[in-house]
Amino acid sequence: AWVSSLSMGMVFFCSPIVSIFTDLFGCRKVAVIGAAVGFAGLLSSSFVSTIEPLYFTYGVLFACGCSFAYQPSLVILGHYFKKRLGLVNGIVTAGSSLFTVSLPFLLRALIDSVRLYNTLRVLCILMFILFLAGFTYKPLVSNAKDKEEEKKGKFRFPPEKKICNFSVFKVLSYRIWAFGIPAALFGYFVPYVHLMKHVKDRFGDSVPEEVLLLCLGITSGVGRLIFGRVADYIPGAKKVYLQVASFFFIGLMSMMIPLCHVFGGLIAVCLFMGLFDGCFICIMAPIAFELVGAQDVSQAIGFLLGLMSIPMTVGPPIAGLLRDHLGTYDVAFYLAGVPPLIGGAVLCFIPWVHERQKLKERAKPVDGETTEKMLENESTLVSDTTEKPVKEMESGF
């Protein structure tokens, strides 16, 4: 359990570092190297015979590789898709739901037939496919100067401000978003971690608890496709309202889990929870593009994922402690529904704040233009006689 927890935590802890490398070296190089490191970590884990080395090979090396391969896949989409960015993110993130549903059954069959270590070697095939896929991330050169330096093989080290681009936190709407989402996530993942144990405590072994995971995975994939398409019709920062709705519904569903004394009720709760979980995940990148723009989106996503790692790590253990003291998960699920409701309420202010920021930015260029025009008029009056011959010569050409 510690190995898998360390692995999940490292994927998110590394995200701010990944965003810096993505800005420095581009999506293609970071994704390819990340997949290669993940492949090496997974392959080396298959030759380990004790638990201690797995903390490094699987918990650190493999997880860091996955983090470096994952984030560029979100950033690169915004380089090539603008109008249908929500739908594209829905399709891409729906792939994880597909594997959430199918991979556990495949892993169980592989472990039963070829044992754990050979199963890890089989999974290396997926990492190798990810390695090859990274080469399809064609880098976009921003200007002619960068293009010339790329042809010459020169690497111009960027300024320190660009390496750690904390300027994204100067954007108030992003700041609210970056701290509002982690606040909501303190209870968000509690049902995903403790639901199976709660089902065993309440219903025993008489019900197939795997059905709940199946429902969560299927409806999460459906939600990513549906809400990703819906997000394309919602202008600007108002896409945040979809995340607000997802937090409210997930918070309510968490509170309803202890009230379900029939297994069919839990299935209905998981269907709704998975649907809005897909909504939350698929529109994360489109919202980041709206709040900070394409130039700063890599580090904006990286900082957000890094902040998300804290509640993801802290929330479920607190719920486990409550269960140990109270003997039941009921209070833990009730409390788990509170942070998503509070976080969703905080996010409601983002569209209003973002619109005010845009109005201020529009006002600044107008003032600058009027000042420039005044200066141009003054210079015209002073040097009118000297400019006329020049204009006549230009008109002659």
Side-chain angles (χ1 to χ4, degrees):
W2 274 108
V3 171
S4 59
S5 298
L6 179 63
S7 177
M8 182 59 69
M10 285 299 297
V11 170
F12 288 92
F13 275 124
C14 289
S15 295
I17 301 171
V18 176
S19 65
I20 294 171
F21 277 92
T22 302
D23 283 346
L24 290 177
F25 303 106
C27 293
R28 176 191 284 179
K29 291 179 181 177
V30 173
V32 169
I33 293 173
V37 172
F39 178 88
L42 199 59
L43 186 63
S44 59
S45 297
S46 68
F47 293 100
V48 170
S49 57
T50 57
I51 192 71
E52 287 79 10
L54 279 177
Y55 290 124
F56 174 74
T57 58
Y58 190 89
V60 176
L61 196 63
F62 171 67
C64 288
C66 288
S67 183
F68 274 73
Y70 168 67
Q71 194 171 319
S73 70
L74 298 179
V75 176
I76 197 67
L77 297 177
H79 291 187
Y80 294 97
F81 300 95
K82 303 295 181 185
K83 191 176 180 181
R84 299 286 182 265
L85 182 60
L87 176 61
V88 171
N89 272 276
I91 294 172
V92 170
T93 55
S96 62
S97 293
L98 178 64
F99 276 87
T100 299
V101 173
S102 60
L103 202 57
F105 299 100
L106 175 63
L107 290 176
R108 177 52 55 193
L110 285 171
I111 290 173
D112 291 341
S113 58
V114 297
R115 310 286 293 184
L116 174 63
Y117 299 117
N118 287 322
T119 299
L120 293 175
R121 290 163 195 162
V122 171
L123 291 178
C124 287
I125 298 172
L126 296 178
M127 292 304 301
F128 185 71
I129 294 172
L130 198 61
F131 172 78
L132 297 177
F135 286 100
T136 64
Y137 298 172
K138 185 180 179 182
L140 297 179
V141 181
S142 57
N143 53 49
K145 189 177 179 182
D146 291 341
K147 203 169 188 177
E148 289 177 5
E149 290 181 353
E150 192 178 77
K151 286 181 180 178
K152 293 177 182 177
K154 293 181 179 179
F155 173 71
R156 183 168 54 88
F157 205 78
E160 185 179 348
K161 289 183 179 179
K162 190 172 181 181
I163 296 175
C164 292
N165 189 13
F166 292 110
S167 63
V168 294
F169 286 101
K170 293 180 181 179
V171 181
L172 181 58
S173 56
Y174 172 76
R175 202 157 63 237
I176 297 171
W177 190 60
F179 289 101
I181 286 183
L185 292 181
F186 274 101
Y188 189 95
F189 286 98
V190 170
Y192 294 91
V193 175
H194 296 288
L195 183 59
M196 297 299 103
K197 187 70 169 60
H198 169 73
V199 171
K200 284 190 176 181
D201 288 347
R202 175 161 292 187
F203 300 101
D205 296 325
S206 60
V207 294
E209 65 268 13
E210 295 85 3
V211 173
L212 300 179
L213 289 177
L214 197 64
C215 293
L216 285 170
I218 292 174
T219 54
S220 180
V222 173
R224 296 175 198 199
L225 293 172
I226 293 174
F227 289 106
R229 188 70 184 96
V230 170
D232 291 329
Y233 293 104
I234 300 177
K238 291 182 179 179
K239 292 180 176 66
V240 172
Y241 289 133
L242 288 177
Q243 280 192 331
V244 171
S246 68
F247 280 138
F248 276 130
F249 274 97
I250 288 174
L252 290 174
M253 293 301 107
S254 296
M255 292 179 173
M256 288 184 66
I257 289 174
L259 302 176
C260 295
H261 297 280
V262 180
F263 187 68
L266 277 179
I267 291 177
V269 166
C270 289
L271 288 173
F272 279 101
M273 189 175 290
L275 189 69
F276 287 98
D277 171 75
C279 173
F280 163 69
I281 291 172
C282 75
I283 60 173
M284 192 178 298
I287 291 174
F289 274 96
E290 293 289 347
L291 297 182
V292 301
Q295 188 176 359
D296 299 325
V297 73
S298 176
Q299 295 203 34
I301 294 175
F303 288 135
L304 176 66
L305 295 178
L307 291 169
M308 284 170 56
S309 66
I310 299 171
M312 286 180 63
T313 306
V314 174
I318 292 175
L321 287 173
L322 287 172
R323 192 266 176 191
D324 290 340
H325 284 289
L326 301 174
T328 176
Y329 281 108
D330 290 359
V331 174
F333 284 125
Y334 287 134
L335 294 177
V338 175
L341 296 177
I342 296 174
V346 171
L347 297 183
C348 288
F349 294 98
I350 290 177
W352 176 74
V353 171
H354 189 67
E355 192 62 32
R356 290 196 64 181
Q357 286 177 336
K358 288 174 71 175
L359 290 174
K360 287 182 181 178
E361 290 173 1
R362 287 172 189 166
K364 287 179 182 178
V366 173
D367 296 337
E369 285 175 8
T370 53
T371 305
E372 287 176 5
K373 285 179 180 178
M374 290 172 65
L375 292 172
E376 285 176 8
N377 290 334
E378 289 178 4
S379 63
T380 303
L381 290 170
V382 173
S383 59
D384 186 45
T385 55
T386 57
E387 286 182 4
K388 278 183 178 179
V390 176
K391 289 181 178 178
E392 289 175 0
M393 289 175 65
E394 289 177 353
S395 61
F397 283 111

